[in-house]
Amino acid sequence: MERKHDRDLAEVVAQAAAGTSQIAVLVGGSSTGKTRACWEVLRLLREQSEPWRLWHPIDPTRPDAALTELSSLAPHTVVWLNEAQEYLAHDQLGEQVAAGLRTLLHDPRRTPVLVLATLWPEHWETLTTRADPDLHCQARELLDGHKIKVPDAFTGADMAALTDTAGRDPRLGEAAAYARDGQVTQYLAGGLLLLDRYEDAPPAARALIHAAMDARRLGAGPRIPLAWLAQAGPGYLTDNEWDETEDDWLEQTLGYVTAPRNGIPGILTSVKTGADRNQRNRPSIRPGAGSARPQPGQQEPAYRLADYLDQHGRHHRADAIPPVDFWTAAAHHAHPNDVGPLGNAAWRRGLYRDAAQLHKLATTHGHGHAAEALVRHLRRLHRADTRPAQWAAAHVALDYPGAVAWLLYVLRKVGAQEQVDALAARAATHVALDDPAVVARLLDRLREVGAQEQVDTLLARNPAPHAALDNPAAVARLLDVLRRVGAQEQLDALAARAAAHAALDDPAAVVELLEALRRVRDREQVDAIAARAAAHVALDDPAAVARLLDVLRRVGAQEQVDALAARAAAHVVLDAPGAVSLLLEALRRVGAQEQMDALLARDPAAHAALDDPAAVARLLYVLREVEAQEQMDALLARDPAAHAALDDPYAVARLLDRLREVGAQEQVDALAARAAAHAALDNPAAVAGLLDVLRRVGTREQVDALAARAATHAVLDDSAAVVRLLKALRKVRGRKQVDTLAARLPAAGQFHQFTEISDHRERFRFGREPDGSAAHPWTWDDLE
């Protein structure tokens, strides 16, 4: 049976080949599955009559390369963004890259293009989850709705296909024959050879590798300065290991980690040239005695960690807190763009003083989010000290208005009114006007902090005609804010532009725009956008179409409801059961019985993919609600319990509940057994939900098995999710599992949750040291 991700990829390629610009985001648990999927896309494109070119921007840095050439890309180009977080999560340039890609995808002069991106699941969550402050609004709009989940390894038909290619490409045949557990890409890339080199490394070399692994997993970019590694490395050695190193230990170590083997590049590869910064003495363990920090742009040696060992380190060192030397060296040598994320990582691990030092340095380089973190965190420790607020207001850059808006809020909250006034005046006068979402956020924040003069200054610059219209949701937010600040003339101008020219390729964004126009009582523009949407909005997301139907009904556009319902029932794709169920519900709500019957007649139960348990659960529920018993029986006969993917425990829990409700007990038992033994553990909140459901429908043995797995192996990167998992473990009487999980919290960056246990809040008031001991009291004067 063809898998869902294969069908999704084929559909993306087909639409690109037909002349429509597309984006596909390949999300999976290993580089193997994503690379296999990318090979498949490129193979399908090679079969097209029109030649396609591949563009992979990487030099001088990935985001810089993307921004340099995005505006000049020609049609029939595949934009290959491997490790897309390096482009989109960049502190200074990520949102510019995302906005540029969105512009590219909507530019009719350059269609078709295909943006092919890969992300690890944790980066997908970071870039697509709305947060406050909203650091990734452009990236979220770019990525949302385009996720394609891919498998972790070559299996079954994949391996057979590789074996068949042996005659044409002996390397692939060899990989198919000898790769362990389907790890073909790793075999081809020399990953296993690199792993052997790492495991056999002498202590000093292993220390340098661990420093590089920790730098990458805690927020640094791919280019790691040698001076950072050299100063941090000795901290990973015991006293005896350090005493046994030679004076030229760094030279020897670099020889080991950079040496290629069998044509495979080394564990670390040089990405810059410059003078060697060898130091024999152990670096100081606190700021104040280390070497001078290089200036931005200064050339210095830097190295890149092999991708395979990068991912190995993220998994196998997830519970390790780097030594003091690592953080001290980061403050002196990390790239300015990496200092802020490293500060966040330090704070989450309870290293408050190191975090403050890093955030202060990042603020010096203009990073707005580091500035607000500096003010907020030090206010908590030293309420009367205004120096952090003064530092932040004086140094923050204005090229990311969202961060400036959030800093204004934090400054007002801590009572730094003088700094609020100074920053508000700078922002109102100089901030760019092309992104309606960030202009809206800044206007709103200026209004909240009472900076009316600055609100007037920003409005006098006339943002309405400058706002880009490629994101209707962002336009909607600006319309709402213009209404709140009473800028009627600008409101009318922007509403007219949006109704006539806003992009319609995202039904969900069109929904937000319609709602905003309804709130401002602009009936003419509501009717205009409704008519355009009903006739032309894309149908590739049935869930978004369902929301649009509801909104069209709310605004009284019945003619447009009927037109869109007819289009959707006849043409919407049927392989996404969750989306089809939402559309069925919407058709029922808007009274489109004829169109609902037409959609059911197309037999969605036979076409629905079974790998998404939440979507199947939703479809079962809706089919029962609309009394489509025959379709429900047909869907159950296909045995969704056996086909359900286990990578989302929350979705599995929903399907378990739904199967129980419809009386499919045999499938309940089978799915409960599979889930207890094999459900993914990367979302603690979802695991908590599954534990709750297993407690109701499963056996005690299954509950205990999942609880033990979760306590030991659950990914602990989300604070609220960790709280839910702790509660769930207590509810199933898993005291031992609670203790096991609690001991893992600091190293996993969940120090805040750790402080909620026992007397930890008072004992660790000033944070902790990397060795786990409580930090001594410190103040602003202790920072460089």
Short mmCIF file of all heavy atoms in Angstrom, two decimals, residues 120 384 597 692:
data_model
loop_
_atom_site.label_atom_id
_atom_site.label_comp_id
_atom_site.label_asym_id
_atom_site.label_seq_id
_atom_site.Cartn_x
_atom_site.Cartn_y
_atom_site.Cartn_z
N TRP A 120 13.68 18.94 11.92
CA TRP A 120 13.47 17.99 12.99
C TRP A 120 12.19 18.36 13.73
O TRP A 120 11.81 19.54 13.76
CB TRP A 120 14.66 17.99 13.94
CG TRP A 120 15.92 17.58 13.26
CD1 TRP A 120 16.88 18.39 12.76
CD2 TRP A 120 16.33 16.23 12.95
NE1 TRP A 120 17.88 17.66 12.16
CE2 TRP A 120 17.57 16.32 12.27
CE3 TRP A 120 15.78 14.98 13.18
CZ2 TRP A 120 18.25 15.20 11.82
CZ3 TRP A 120 16.48 13.86 12.75
CH2 TRP A 120 17.69 13.97 12.08
N ALA A 384 15.16 46.30 42.75
CA ALA A 384 15.45 47.73 42.80
C ALA A 384 16.54 48.17 41.81
O ALA A 384 16.78 49.37 41.66
CB ALA A 384 15.84 48.13 44.21
N ASP A 597 -24.32 15.11 0.95
CA ASP A 597 -24.60 13.82 0.33
C ASP A 597 -23.65 13.55 -0.83
O ASP A 597 -23.20 12.41 -1.04
CB ASP A 597 -26.05 13.78 -0.16
CG ASP A 597 -27.05 13.81 1.00
OD1 ASP A 597 -26.64 13.49 2.14
OD2 ASP A 597 -28.22 14.15 0.76
N ASP A 692 -3.71 8.62 30.67
CA ASP A 692 -5.07 8.76 31.21
C ASP A 692 -6.05 7.82 30.51
O ASP A 692 -6.89 7.18 31.15
CB ASP A 692 -5.55 10.21 31.07
CG ASP A 692 -4.88 11.13 32.08
OD1 ASP A 692 -4.36 10.62 33.09
OD2 ASP A 692 -4.88 12.35 31.84
#
